[in-house]
Amino acid sequence: MEVAATYLPIFRIHELKYFKKNLEALKPKKAAICVDYYFADEQKPLLHDVWPKTEYILGNWRNRSSCLLRLVKYILENGGDGLIVDSDYVLSDTFPAIDKKLDLPLYHVSDHLWRHPRVRGPEVINDIEVYYWRIKKTLGRTMHLFAGPKQAIRLRGVKLSAKHLDHLIQLIDDMDPRMSGVLADEIPLGILYDKSGIREVPFVVATSHYRHKSHPKPQDNLLNKKIYSHTLYYLYKKCGYRLPALRYGISSIFYGFVP
């Protein structure tokens, strides 16, 4: 494997201990770490190399999507062979063997099997149970474009649209951080897949979750729904998805009138 990567806000820098476990199991040629909420050189002592040839991508975007999409771009520009794993997940001991058996250009890794109408499978590939998540359902109630379970993303030569990837990065970077901060990163990733002609994403179960408590629960749930609806309206409209944009545009107006 050429690149193993993760992304995290700097206040969760302690989670690099989980990433180090993944690196020791994967033994990649280099590591990439995207650190958010980084805005001053005084923060540098918090960073430490966990692997030879570690490259840091630093910024103050204040959302997960900007970090994830930048790492996708980094891997595509560095040979297209890599894995992005969420900072609070550790790959199972069986994952290296699974990865050797799966000759797929793209697949995801989950910590449990999703039971959902948009999941099909399993298919058995070289003794590995592989499930498939359908990315797009524009007439659905939620998750109109959604990447599915993605605690880790394995890229191995998959063709993704560079034009749409750059557009999504710029679009999210230009958002008010109060909007981009509530956006689930599975949504822009799902849009990227759809724009790249990918209809389903294979996934396997091979991670464990080490939960954190860094995000306080919203105190005003109605306000959070208002911001979330407006964010999805804006994102879907800018990306050309009219029906999902209409659905969340109406929701945004409705939440604005509820006392």
Side-chain angles (χ1 to χ4, degrees):
M1 185 180 297
E2 190 70 27
V3 182
T6 194
Y7 55 112
L8 74 172
I10 200 165
F11 52 82
R12 284 167 55 186
I13 204 73
H14 63 282
E15 290 181 345
L16 288 182
K17 63 185 178 182
Y18 304 135
F19 186 48
K20 187 175 182 180
K21 290 183 179 180
N22 292 324
L23 291 170
E24 290 169 347
L26 297 170
K27 297 179 174 56
K29 293 181 180 178
K30 55 185 173 182
I33 303 170
C34 190
V35 179
D36 200 0
Y37 291 80
Y38 184 95
F39 54 86
D41 288 342
E42 288 82 0
Q43 294 172 301
K44 278 187 177 178
L46 294 173
L47 308 178
H48 57 282
D49 289 345
V50 295
W51 195 252
K53 296 185 179 179
T54 299
E55 182 168 343
Y56 280 95
I57 302 168
L58 306 173
N60 191 28
W61 309 284
R62 297 179 179 266
N63 71 85
R64 294 170 54 84
S65 299
S66 290
C67 293
L68 172 60
L69 295 175
R70 277 176 165 81
L71 287 178
V72 171
K73 183 173 182 176
Y74 178 89
I75 290 175
L76 295 180
E77 292 179 345
N78 285 270
D81 177 25
L83 180 136
I84 305 168
V85 59
D86 285 0
S87 61
D88 52 351
Y89 281 83
V90 174
L91 298 165
S92 71
D93 294 338
T94 60
F95 178 76
I98 290 172
D99 189 56
K100 286 182 180 179
K101 290 183 177 182
L102 288 183
D103 186 21
L104 298 172
L106 167 71
Y107 70 89
H108 288 184
V109 188
S110 178
D111 63 334
H112 68 282
L113 174 58
W114 281 30
R115 304 289 184 183
H116 195 278
R118 283 161 69 176
V119 173
R120 71 172 180 89
E123 289 184 0
V124 178
I125 302 177
N126 293 330
D127 300 322
I128 305 299
E129 287 191 349
V130 180
Y131 297 84
Y132 295 83
W133 168 265
R134 180 157 57 96
I135 293 166
K136 185 177 181 180
K137 191 175 182 182
T138 53
L139 295 178
R141 191 175 66 86
T142 60
M143 297 191 295
H144 301 84
L145 288 113
F146 199 81
K150 51 143 280 298
Q151 284 75 48
I153 304 166
R154 181 66 166 106
L155 306 169
R156 191 190 278 131
V158 65
K159 303 297 183 183
L160 297 176
S161 171
K163 178 182 74 172
H164 289 103
L165 176 55
D166 288 340
H167 177 248
L168 281 164
I169 290 173
Q170 192 61 57
L171 183 61
I172 295 169
D173 284 356
D174 289 345
M175 283 184 183
D176 187 302
R178 289 169 293 186
M179 293 169 56
S180 59
V182 302
L183 182 64
D185 52 1
E186 292 90 348
I187 295 174
L189 185 62
I191 291 173
L192 175 63
Y193 288 164
D194 183 62
K195 296 291 187 181
S196 302
I198 298 171
R199 300 294 173 252
E200 289 184 320
V201 178
F203 72 94
V204 298
V205 178
T207 60
S208 296
H209 193 190
Y210 292 81
R211 297 183 181 276
H212 65 90
K213 298 180 180 179
S214 62
H215 295 305
K217 293 181 179 180
Q219 298 299 310
D220 190 331
N221 193 45
L222 184 61
L223 176 61
N224 193 60
K225 288 181 177 179
K226 169 74 173 178
I227 296 172
Y228 187 71
S229 295
H230 182 70
T231 300
L232 292 187
Y233 161 73
Y234 178 84
L235 180 66
Y236 286 136
K237 180 182 177 182
K238 290 290 185 180
C239 292
Y241 296 102
R242 293 183 179 180
L243 286 177
L246 178 62
R247 178 255 192 265
Y248 284 103
I250 293 171
S251 295
S252 178
I253 295 170
F254 171 77
Y255 289 128
F257 283 112
V258 175

